[in-house]
Amino acid sequence: MVKKIAQIKLGIIIGPFFLLCLAVGFAWASSEKIYTFIRLFDRIALTVTDKYVDNLDPEKLIKAGISGMLGKLDPYSQYLSGQNYYYLLQETRGEYSGIGIIIEKRLDTLLVESVIEGNPAYYANIRVGDRILMVDTVDVVGKSRFDCIKLLRGKKGTPVNLQLRRPLLGKNFNVRLVRDEIHIDPVPFFGISDDNNGYIRISRFSEGSAIEVKKAVSQLLEKGMNGLVVDLRGNPGGLLYEAVEVTALFLKKGEKIVDVKGRGTVRLRSYESRTDGIYKDGPLVVVIDNKTASAAEILAGAIQDNDRGLVIGSSSYGKGLVQQILQFSDNSALKLTTAKYYAPSNRCIQKDTNRSNLILKDKSRKQVLFYTNSGRPVFSGGGIIPDIYVEPLEKPPLLDELVTLGYVNDFITDYCVRQPVDENFEVTDKTVDSFFEYLKVRGYVYHSSICSAFDRFVSENGVSGKKGKLNDHIKAIKDILSSKSNDEMLSLRSQIKDLLYECIISNCLGKQKSYELVWFKKHPELIKSWEVLNAPDIYNNLLAGF
């Protein structure tokens, strides 16, 4: 009798799982086959619960089975319950106190998937791809995404300490942040360049994005802009309907924006511009990079495929998967990939990286070459490839280290107190010399990636501290590598100068001025954008495919 009651309780717990299996399974196999496997899972779950050597938590056991199944699909499909579901809603709405990062789990490692511009993590130079090792005193390696989220969020004004690892630096580092209310500003900046071209920075497609972008475009039109640059670099996407509404601002009535297609490329919904957009004719450039993803790729793809404007930068991320929230109860839901985005030319935005052995091969996806309205070739399966490729401005590891470890911020905080800074400010050689002297006083010694790798080799192979000739050889090699590290640091003097200029402008005059004085004039993607907009013949020929 006790055993029967236990089975009934377990059946209540795993009932939602059976419904999930039915919902997912009916579309790809006969009901009889699905029932056969559900009964198999039922028998295994009951047997494990009844016979396993230790007592088990039935709820955790079944949830582990669900996670295992979803883990074989893609990184974005997840079962959410209780507080975890609440966290998802918070991220979508942008209403919580924390540090302003979105994290995802890859194997046993928690990675920073995106950094929300204008929030604590953004100003602390936390980067996409950083590995989170510890939050305060808690080791989070192997923990779930939501366990980590609980640790990161908290009361506004409270501190949180992170230990991170950045592959580029090759070592761990610590960051101290203060939690704040997280506001997702979809348009952190818009303005006019010196040559009268408009610029709009869209950081994310959250609620209200279309309204904010429309306001920005209207104001730039009132100022008489000649052309417009829409900057989507680092934009991780967001809400589909906001991306559609923003894209429609730049298209004519009836022009296609995106198709959402489910299994077997069955079209679930097609989106097109319902009215003429507020800026449907003027010269337009969309700037992207390898962190432009999802909903942001919809905008870039629609502009490119409709020959509405040019795309400049580097290839986008290639996340064309659509997640749907399937709610089972007030505090339980399934975030499931149910469709893919297809640009107007019918190419799939999703980068073809899925290696799951559960997914059957789709013969319909062999085509990779497609064409825009004017006949320009575009490609499928690798994100959005720009019309004009521009190598992004990447910080060398040394500069990244100086910023991340706080040396630059500490130096310029003191510098801005002592020195007046205005729009005509320039960083002199004397300023750079002062910074090098400051690093020396702080005891900073730069170790190149090769130097760090050799130190790890010596340590891991037990040859550190050995006496005799081996130790002499190791010391000689370290001296050579150290000398090369110093040479590398000196060779980057001009880039350190640019870095100090950008940080001093941002610190003393604010982020808004940093866009105008640094981004507009020093970012290669924007320099190329101004160049193309100021050359109508080149712009028109590229759009025509010449």
Side-chain angles (χ1 to χ4, degrees):
M1 183 67 178
V2 174
K3 183 175 179 181
K4 187 174 181 180
I5 292 172
Q7 289 179 346
I8 291 172
K9 288 182 177 179
L10 184 59
I12 292 171
I13 293 170
I14 65 179
F17 178 74
F18 293 159
L19 293 176
L20 168 62
C21 288
L22 286 171
V24 175
F26 268 123
W28 62 269
S30 67
S31 58
E32 183 57 36
K33 190 173 183 180
I34 289 298
Y35 275 120
T36 298
F37 287 117
I38 288 177
R39 285 193 291 268
L40 173 63
F41 183 89
D42 187 12
R43 288 196 300 272
I44 292 174
L46 291 172
T47 302
V48 168
T49 305
D50 186 45
K51 303 289 187 183
Y52 189 69
V53 63
D54 294 319
N55 291 327
L56 299 173
D57 184 323
E59 183 179 358
K60 289 182 179 179
L61 178 67
I62 298 305
K63 285 183 177 179
I66 295 172
S67 298
M69 177 182 66
L70 296 176
K72 291 290 187 178
L73 302 180
D74 62 71
Y76 312 105
S77 294
Q78 298 170 327
Y79 174 70
L80 308 165
S81 61
Q83 194 73 6
N84 296 342
Y85 182 44
Y86 175 64
Y87 287 146
L88 175 70
L89 297 179
Q90 282 186 330
E91 288 176 4
T92 303
R93 296 168 183 165
E95 300 170 356
Y96 59 93
S97 292
I99 62 172
I101 60 173
I102 306 297
I103 59 176
E104 288 294 342
K105 189 170 183 179
R106 299 287 187 272
L107 299 177
D108 66 341
T109 305
L110 292 160
L111 304 180
V112 177
E113 186 185 58
S114 66
V115 180
I116 302 172
E117 193 167 323
N119 288 283
Y122 178 82
Y123 293 115
N125 197 45
I126 291 177
R127 298 279 193 86
V128 172
D130 283 352
R131 275 72 168 158
I132 304 174
L133 306 179
M134 295 189 73
V135 180
D136 289 325
T137 59
V138 180
D139 184 346
V140 297
V141 175
K143 289 191 177 294
S144 73
R145 174 179 181 268
F146 297 108
D147 285 339
C148 189
I149 288 173
K150 291 174 189 175
L151 296 169
L152 292 173
R153 294 182 186 174
K155 253 187 181 181
K156 177 183 177 180
T158 57
V160 59
N161 298 291
L162 304 184
Q163 185 180 90
L164 305 169
R165 184 173 185 85
R166 184 168 299 161
L168 194 64
L169 294 181
K171 58 185 176 184
N172 303 345
F173 60 94
N174 298 312
V175 179
R176 180 180 173 84
L177 305 99
V178 176
R179 296 181 179 95
D180 200 354
E181 290 181 9
I182 302 305
H183 298 288
I184 300 177
D185 186 355
V187 183
F189 177 80
F190 67 92
I192 290 276
S193 68
D194 292 340
D195 44 16
N196 209 43
N197 286 307
Y199 172 87
I200 299 176
R201 167 86 174 144
I202 305 178
S203 64
R204 181 180 291 262
F205 290 99
S206 54
E207 290 183 10
S209 295
I211 294 172
E212 294 303 314
V213 174
K214 187 174 183 179
K215 285 180 184 177
V217 174
S218 297
Q219 292 186 38
L220 293 172
L221 285 171
E222 288 175 4
K223 293 180 180 180
M225 66 175 176
N226 297 326
L228 176 64
V229 173
V230 175
D231 192 348
L232 299 177
R233 289 175 298 168
N235 185 322
L239 302 175
L240 169 61
Y241 68 85
E242 290 289 351
V244 167
E245 291 299 313
V246 169
T247 304
L249 298 173
F250 308 112
L251 299 177
K252 295 175 182 176
K253 182 179 179 180
E255 289 187 311
K256 185 178 286 189
I257 296 172
V258 67
D259 282 334
V260 178
K261 297 182 181 182
R263 183 180 303 153
T265 67
V266 175
R267 182 180 298 173
L268 301 178
R269 184 160 183 184
S270 182
Y271 294 88
E272 61 181 39
S273 182
R274 293 170 293 177
T275 60
D276 282 345
I278 189 174
Y279 188 70
K280 61 183 175 62
D281 292 316
L284 176 66
V285 167
V286 175
V287 181
I288 63 173
D289 65 5
N290 63 356
K291 298 180 182 67
T292 303
S294 193
E297 293 174 286
I298 290 175
L299 193 159
I303 296 303
Q304 189 176 57
D305 285 7
N306 285 295
D307 299 302
R308 172 61 189 89
L310 294 174
V311 178
I312 291 178
S314 51
S315 296
S316 65
Y317 185 84
K319 182 183 180 290
L321 300 177
V322 182
Q323 281 77 50
Q324 186 177 357
I325 307 299
L326 306 170
Q327 191 165 348
F328 298 140
S329 64
D330 290 340
N331 61 356
S332 174
L334 177 65
K335 179 186 173 188
L336 184 68
T337 298
T338 56
K340 294 177 181 177
Y341 294 133
Y342 287 76
S345 65
N346 203 35
R347 56 177 166 146
C348 184
I349 294 172
Q350 175 66 18
K351 188 175 291 182
D352 193 7
T353 57
N354 200 317
R355 295 292 179 267
S356 173
N357 58 8
L358 298 182
I359 298 174
L360 302 176
K361 291 183 178 179
D362 185 358
K363 296 179 181 179
S364 66
R365 292 196 57 202
K366 286 185 177 179
Q367 185 181 356
V368 295
L369 179 61
F370 296 82
Y371 297 92
T372 69
N373 289 349
S374 70
R376 294 186 298 144
V378 288
F379 298 90
S380 175
I384 304 299
I385 299 174
D387 301 306
I388 301 175
Y389 179 81
V390 177
E391 189 73 32
L393 190 64
E394 296 286 353
K395 286 188 177 75
L398 166 62
L399 273 65
D400 196 42
E401 182 170 298
L402 292 173
V403 173
T404 301
L405 299 182
Y407 291 108
V408 171
N409 185 64
D410 290 348
F411 174 78
I412 64 173
T413 299
D414 179 62
Y415 182 88
C416 290
V417 171
R418 294 183 288 102
Q419 299 290 336
V421 175
D422 58 24
E423 292 186 20
N424 298 315
F425 168 79
E426 292 183 2
V427 172
T428 64
D429 288 337
K430 185 178 178 181
T431 306
V432 179
D433 291 337
S434 297
F435 180 62
F436 281 141
E437 184 62 31
Y438 162 80
L439 293 176
K440 187 177 179 181
V441 170
R442 287 284 302 270
Y444 173 76
V445 177
Y446 172 60
H447 293 279
S448 68
S449 57
I450 297 175
C451 195
S452 298
F454 183 73
D455 287 343
R456 286 197 302 274
F457 170 79
V458 170
S459 175
E460 292 170 1
N461 287 277
V463 293
S464 180
K466 297 285 185 180
K467 295 182 179 180
K469 289 186 176 181
L470 178 59
N471 187 60
D472 293 339
H473 289 311
I474 290 173
K475 185 178 182 303
I477 293 172
K478 284 188 173 183
D479 289 342
I480 293 170
L481 294 176
S482 178
S483 175
K484 287 187 177 296
S485 293
N486 290 332
D487 292 342
E488 182 182 337
M489 189 167 181
L490 292 174
S491 72
L492 293 173
R493 184 181 177 93
S494 64
Q495 288 165 280
I496 292 173
K497 190 174 184 178
D498 288 341
L499 173 65
L500 291 174
Y501 175 77
E502 179 175 359
C503 293
I504 289 172
I505 291 296
S506 182
N507 185 286
C508 297
L509 303 183
K511 185 63 181 177
Q512 301 292 309
K513 280 297 176 185
S514 181
Y515 282 110
E516 295 178 6
L517 300 177
V518 181
W519 288 42
F520 281 14
K521 297 178 179 180
K522 294 185 180 293
H523 286 205
E525 301 96 330
L526 297 186
I527 293 171
K528 175 57 72 173
S529 298
W530 309 137
E531 179 186 313
V532 170
L533 288 176
N534 292 331
D537 290 344
I538 294 175
Y539 176 87
N540 291 326
N541 286 339
L542 285 168
L543 273 184
F546 297 146

PDB file of all heavy atoms in Angstrom, residues 46 61-62 93-94 117 124 142 202 212 218 257 348-349 367 433 437 452 460 462 495 502 530:
ATOM      1  N   LEU A  46      10.155   5.144 -11.783  1.00  0.00           N
ATOM      2  CA  LEU A  46       9.581   4.474 -10.617  1.00  0.00           C
ATOM      3  C   LEU A  46      10.568   3.467 -10.013  1.00  0.00           C
ATOM      4  O   LEU A  46      10.698   3.358  -8.785  1.00  0.00           O
ATOM      5  CB  LEU A  46       8.282   3.775 -11.009  1.00  0.00           C
ATOM      6  CG  LEU A  46       7.102   4.700 -11.361  1.00  0.00           C
ATOM      7  CD1 LEU A  46       5.949   3.889 -11.922  1.00  0.00           C
ATOM      8  CD2 LEU A  46       6.665   5.495 -10.140  1.00  0.00           C
ATOM      9  N   LEU A  61      14.688  14.521  -9.181  1.00  0.00           N
ATOM     10  CA  LEU A  61      15.019  13.445 -10.115  1.00  0.00           C
ATOM     11  C   LEU A  61      14.371  13.696 -11.476  1.00  0.00           C
ATOM     12  O   LEU A  61      15.024  13.605 -12.517  1.00  0.00           O
ATOM     13  CB  LEU A  61      14.541  12.104  -9.549  1.00  0.00           C
ATOM     14  CG  LEU A  61      14.773  10.884 -10.444  1.00  0.00           C
ATOM     15  CD1 LEU A  61      16.263  10.604 -10.597  1.00  0.00           C
ATOM     16  CD2 LEU A  61      14.052   9.662  -9.878  1.00  0.00           C
ATOM     17  N   ILE A  62      13.087  14.027 -11.459  1.00  0.00           N
ATOM     18  CA  ILE A  62      12.376  14.246 -12.718  1.00  0.00           C
ATOM     19  C   ILE A  62      12.888  15.503 -13.416  1.00  0.00           C
ATOM     20  O   ILE A  62      13.057  15.536 -14.638  1.00  0.00           O
ATOM     21  CB  ILE A  62      10.864  14.338 -12.473  1.00  0.00           C
ATOM     22  CG1 ILE A  62      10.354  13.022 -11.890  1.00  0.00           C
ATOM     23  CG2 ILE A  62      10.125  14.655 -13.765  1.00  0.00           C
ATOM     24  CD1 ILE A  62      10.685  11.805 -12.708  1.00  0.00           C
ATOM     25  N   ARG A  93      11.892  42.300 -18.991  1.00  0.00           N
ATOM     26  CA  ARG A  93      11.352  43.626 -18.695  1.00  0.00           C
ATOM     27  C   ARG A  93      12.419  44.607 -18.236  1.00  0.00           C
ATOM     28  O   ARG A  93      12.230  45.817 -18.315  1.00  0.00           O
ATOM     29  CB  ARG A  93      10.284  43.505 -17.590  1.00  0.00           C
ATOM     30  CG  ARG A  93       9.069  42.683 -18.040  1.00  0.00           C
ATOM     31  CD  ARG A  93       8.185  42.350 -16.851  1.00  0.00           C
ATOM     32  NE  ARG A  93       7.054  41.508 -17.244  1.00  0.00           N
ATOM     33  CZ  ARG A  93       6.295  40.831 -16.390  1.00  0.00           C
ATOM     34  NH1 ARG A  93       6.552  40.897 -15.086  1.00  0.00           N
ATOM     35  NH2 ARG A  93       5.298  40.094 -16.822  1.00  0.00           N
ATOM     36  N   GLY A  94      13.552  44.076 -17.746  1.00  0.00           N
ATOM     37  CA  GLY A  94      14.619  44.953 -17.279  1.00  0.00           C
ATOM     38  C   GLY A  94      14.270  45.678 -16.000  1.00  0.00           C
ATOM     39  O   GLY A  94      14.552  46.857 -15.856  1.00  0.00           O
ATOM     40  N   GLU A 117      24.374  47.659 -21.591  1.00  0.00           N
ATOM     41  CA  GLU A 117      25.069  48.945 -21.646  1.00  0.00           C
ATOM     42  C   GLU A 117      24.521  49.919 -20.606  1.00  0.00           C
ATOM     43  O   GLU A 117      23.321  49.996 -20.371  1.00  0.00           O
ATOM     44  CB  GLU A 117      24.905  49.543 -23.051  1.00  0.00           C
ATOM     45  CG  GLU A 117      25.823  50.704 -23.343  1.00  0.00           C
ATOM     46  CD  GLU A 117      25.859  51.049 -24.827  1.00  0.00           C
ATOM     47  OE1 GLU A 117      25.800  50.126 -25.670  1.00  0.00           O
ATOM     48  OE2 GLU A 117      25.942  52.241 -25.139  1.00  0.00           O
ATOM     49  N   ALA A 124      32.449  48.298 -15.412  1.00  0.00           N
ATOM     50  CA  ALA A 124      33.547  47.529 -14.812  1.00  0.00           C
ATOM     51  C   ALA A 124      34.333  46.752 -15.860  1.00  0.00           C
ATOM     52  O   ALA A 124      35.212  45.966 -15.527  1.00  0.00           O
ATOM     53  CB  ALA A 124      33.000  46.573 -13.753  1.00  0.00           C
ATOM     54  N   GLY A 142      30.059  24.710 -12.080  1.00  0.00           N
ATOM     55  CA  GLY A 142      29.190  23.541 -11.976  1.00  0.00           C
ATOM     56  C   GLY A 142      27.791  23.846 -11.487  1.00  0.00           C
ATOM     57  O   GLY A 142      26.900  22.999 -11.577  1.00  0.00           O
ATOM     58  N   ILE A 202      21.416  51.411 -30.920  1.00  0.00           N
ATOM     59  CA  ILE A 202      20.375  50.563 -30.342  1.00  0.00           C
ATOM     60  C   ILE A 202      21.073  49.433 -29.587  1.00  0.00           C
ATOM     61  O   ILE A 202      21.742  48.601 -30.194  1.00  0.00           O
ATOM     62  CB  ILE A 202      19.440  49.982 -31.420  1.00  0.00           C
ATOM     63  CG1 ILE A 202      18.835  51.106 -32.275  1.00  0.00           C
ATOM     64  CG2 ILE A 202      18.317  49.186 -30.763  1.00  0.00           C
ATOM     65  CD1 ILE A 202      17.934  50.621 -33.389  1.00  0.00           C
ATOM     66  N   GLU A 212      11.188  54.607 -28.756  1.00  0.00           N
ATOM     67  CA  GLU A 212      12.404  55.396 -28.550  1.00  0.00           C
ATOM     68  C   GLU A 212      13.159  55.623 -29.860  1.00  0.00           C
ATOM     69  O   GLU A 212      13.676  56.726 -30.105  1.00  0.00           O
ATOM     70  CB  GLU A 212      13.310  54.703 -27.529  1.00  0.00           C
ATOM     71  CG  GLU A 212      12.737  54.635 -26.122  1.00  0.00           C
ATOM     72  CD  GLU A 212      12.402  56.011 -25.576  1.00  0.00           C
ATOM     73  OE1 GLU A 212      13.241  56.928 -25.710  1.00  0.00           O
ATOM     74  OE2 GLU A 212      11.299  56.175 -25.036  1.00  0.00           O
ATOM     75  N   SER A 218      12.906  60.969 -35.618  1.00  0.00           N
ATOM     76  CA  SER A 218      12.149  62.211 -35.826  1.00  0.00           C
ATOM     77  C   SER A 218      13.004  63.433 -35.504  1.00  0.00           C
ATOM     78  O   SER A 218      13.022  64.412 -36.273  1.00  0.00           O
ATOM     79  CB  SER A 218      10.885  62.212 -34.958  1.00  0.00           C
ATOM     80  OG  SER A 218      10.023  61.171 -35.318  1.00  0.00           O
ATOM     81  N   ILE A 257       9.772  41.813 -43.638  1.00  0.00           N
ATOM     82  CA  ILE A 257      10.754  42.002 -42.569  1.00  0.00           C
ATOM     83  C   ILE A 257      11.377  40.664 -42.169  1.00  0.00           C
ATOM     84  O   ILE A 257      12.599  40.515 -42.155  1.00  0.00           O
ATOM     85  CB  ILE A 257      10.105  42.687 -41.352  1.00  0.00           C
ATOM     86  CG1 ILE A 257       9.636  44.094 -41.748  1.00  0.00           C
ATOM     87  CG2 ILE A 257      11.083  42.748 -40.179  1.00  0.00           C
ATOM     88  CD1 ILE A 257       8.822  44.792 -40.686  1.00  0.00           C
ATOM     89  N   CYS A 348      18.125  31.448 -43.909  1.00  0.00           N
ATOM     90  CA  CYS A 348      18.027  31.251 -42.464  1.00  0.00           C
ATOM     91  C   CYS A 348      19.166  32.003 -41.773  1.00  0.00           C
ATOM     92  O   CYS A 348      20.333  31.916 -42.180  1.00  0.00           O
ATOM     93  CB  CYS A 348      18.103  29.768 -42.123  1.00  0.00           C
ATOM     94  SG  CYS A 348      17.879  29.423 -40.359  1.00  0.00           S
ATOM     95  N   ILE A 349      18.821  32.740 -40.737  1.00  0.00           N
ATOM     96  CA  ILE A 349      19.813  33.531 -40.007  1.00  0.00           C
ATOM     97  C   ILE A 349      20.672  32.652 -39.105  1.00  0.00           C
ATOM     98  O   ILE A 349      21.840  32.943 -38.848  1.00  0.00           O
ATOM     99  CB  ILE A 349      19.111  34.630 -39.177  1.00  0.00           C
ATOM    100  CG1 ILE A 349      18.439  35.650 -40.122  1.00  0.00           C
ATOM    101  CG2 ILE A 349      20.083  35.337 -38.252  1.00  0.00           C
ATOM    102  CD1 ILE A 349      17.567  36.661 -39.406  1.00  0.00           C
ATOM    103  N   GLN A 367      20.479  24.549 -49.526  1.00  0.00           N
ATOM    104  CA  GLN A 367      20.723  25.794 -50.256  1.00  0.00           C
ATOM    105  C   GLN A 367      21.377  26.818 -49.343  1.00  0.00           C
ATOM    106  O   GLN A 367      20.924  27.059 -48.227  1.00  0.00           O
ATOM    107  CB  GLN A 367      19.412  26.357 -50.802  1.00  0.00           C
ATOM    108  CG  GLN A 367      19.612  27.600 -51.677  1.00  0.00           C
ATOM    109  CD  GLN A 367      18.282  28.153 -52.179  1.00  0.00           C
ATOM    110  OE1 GLN A 367      17.241  27.569 -51.932  1.00  0.00           O
ATOM    111  NE2 GLN A 367      18.343  29.265 -52.882  1.00  0.00           N
ATOM    112  N   ASP A 433      53.587  59.189 -20.090  1.00  0.00           N
ATOM    113  CA  ASP A 433      54.730  58.944 -19.199  1.00  0.00           C
ATOM    114  C   ASP A 433      54.280  58.877 -17.744  1.00  0.00           C
ATOM    115  O   ASP A 433      54.764  58.027 -16.971  1.00  0.00           O
ATOM    116  CB  ASP A 433      55.774  60.048 -19.357  1.00  0.00           C
ATOM    117  CG  ASP A 433      56.476  59.994 -20.704  1.00  0.00           C
ATOM    118  OD1 ASP A 433      56.492  58.908 -21.325  1.00  0.00           O
ATOM    119  OD2 ASP A 433      57.002  61.044 -21.145  1.00  0.00           O
ATOM    120  N   GLU A 437      54.625  55.716 -15.135  1.00  0.00           N
ATOM    121  CA  GLU A 437      55.223  55.911 -13.815  1.00  0.00           C
ATOM    122  C   GLU A 437      54.262  55.433 -12.727  1.00  0.00           C
ATOM    123  O   GLU A 437      54.678  54.813 -11.736  1.00  0.00           O
ATOM    124  CB  GLU A 437      55.568  57.388 -13.607  1.00  0.00           C
ATOM    125  CG  GLU A 437      56.297  57.696 -12.300  1.00  0.00           C
ATOM    126  CD  GLU A 437      57.650  56.993 -12.192  1.00  0.00           C
ATOM    127  OE1 GLU A 437      58.306  56.764 -13.241  1.00  0.00           O
ATOM    128  OE2 GLU A 437      58.052  56.657 -11.052  1.00  0.00           O
ATOM    129  N   SER A 452      53.126  34.156 -19.506  1.00  0.00           N
ATOM    130  CA  SER A 452      52.203  33.506 -18.570  1.00  0.00           C
ATOM    131  C   SER A 452      52.125  32.009 -18.841  1.00  0.00           C
ATOM    132  O   SER A 452      52.075  31.201 -17.904  1.00  0.00           O
ATOM    133  CB  SER A 452      50.812  34.136 -18.681  1.00  0.00           C
ATOM    134  OG  SER A 452      50.843  35.504 -18.333  1.00  0.00           O
ATOM    135  N   GLU A 460      53.271  23.709 -13.395  1.00  0.00           N
ATOM    136  CA  GLU A 460      52.515  22.455 -13.529  1.00  0.00           C
ATOM    137  C   GLU A 460      53.410  21.234 -13.680  1.00  0.00           C
ATOM    138  O   GLU A 460      52.984  20.112 -13.388  1.00  0.00           O
ATOM    139  CB  GLU A 460      51.557  22.559 -14.724  1.00  0.00           C
ATOM    140  CG  GLU A 460      50.426  23.557 -14.499  1.00  0.00           C
ATOM    141  CD  GLU A 460      49.634  23.823 -15.764  1.00  0.00           C
ATOM    142  OE1 GLU A 460      49.970  23.210 -16.812  1.00  0.00           O
ATOM    143  OE2 GLU A 460      48.711  24.654 -15.722  1.00  0.00           O
ATOM    144  N   GLY A 462      56.384  20.861 -12.161  1.00  0.00           N
ATOM    145  CA  GLY A 462      57.205  20.641 -10.977  1.00  0.00           C
ATOM    146  C   GLY A 462      58.665  20.992 -11.134  1.00  0.00           C
ATOM    147  O   GLY A 462      59.515  20.392 -10.463  1.00  0.00           O
ATOM    148  N   GLN A 495      48.494  53.184 -28.685  1.00  0.00           N
ATOM    149  CA  GLN A 495      47.179  52.635 -28.350  1.00  0.00           C
ATOM    150  C   GLN A 495      46.817  52.906 -26.897  1.00  0.00           C
ATOM    151  O   GLN A 495      45.648  53.113 -26.568  1.00  0.00           O
ATOM    152  CB  GLN A 495      47.163  51.131 -28.640  1.00  0.00           C
ATOM    153  CG  GLN A 495      47.139  50.830 -30.137  1.00  0.00           C
ATOM    154  CD  GLN A 495      47.490  49.406 -30.444  1.00  0.00           C
ATOM    155  OE1 GLN A 495      48.661  49.046 -30.460  1.00  0.00           O
ATOM    156  NE2 GLN A 495      46.484  48.585 -30.694  1.00  0.00           N
ATOM    157  N   GLU A 502      40.044  58.012 -24.429  1.00  0.00           N
ATOM    158  CA  GLU A 502      38.650  57.567 -24.383  1.00  0.00           C
ATOM    159  C   GLU A 502      38.129  57.519 -22.945  1.00  0.00           C
ATOM    160  O   GLU A 502      37.014  57.972 -22.662  1.00  0.00           O
ATOM    161  CB  GLU A 502      38.518  56.185 -25.024  1.00  0.00           C
ATOM    162  CG  GLU A 502      37.099  55.629 -24.989  1.00  0.00           C
ATOM    163  CD  GLU A 502      36.952  54.313 -25.720  1.00  0.00           C
ATOM    164  OE1 GLU A 502      37.939  53.807 -26.293  1.00  0.00           O
ATOM    165  OE2 GLU A 502      35.824  53.786 -25.729  1.00  0.00           O
ATOM    166  N   TRP A 530      30.632  56.837 -42.372  1.00  0.00           N
ATOM    167  CA  TRP A 530      30.589  58.249 -42.792  1.00  0.00           C
ATOM    168  C   TRP A 530      31.119  58.383 -44.220  1.00  0.00           C
ATOM    169  O   TRP A 530      30.567  59.134 -45.041  1.00  0.00           O
ATOM    170  CB  TRP A 530      31.419  59.131 -41.860  1.00  0.00           C
ATOM    171  CG  TRP A 530      31.183  59.020 -40.389  1.00  0.00           C
ATOM    172  CD1 TRP A 530      32.130  58.982 -39.415  1.00  0.00           C
ATOM    173  CD2 TRP A 530      29.919  58.950 -39.705  1.00  0.00           C
ATOM    174  NE1 TRP A 530      31.559  58.887 -38.180  1.00  0.00           N
ATOM    175  CE2 TRP A 530      30.205  58.869 -38.316  1.00  0.00           C
ATOM    176  CE3 TRP A 530      28.581  58.928 -40.113  1.00  0.00           C
ATOM    177  CZ2 TRP A 530      29.202  58.782 -37.354  1.00  0.00           C
ATOM    178  CZ3 TRP A 530      27.586  58.834 -39.152  1.00  0.00           C
ATOM    179  CH2 TRP A 530      27.888  58.769 -37.804  1.00  0.00           C
TER     180      TRP A 530
END
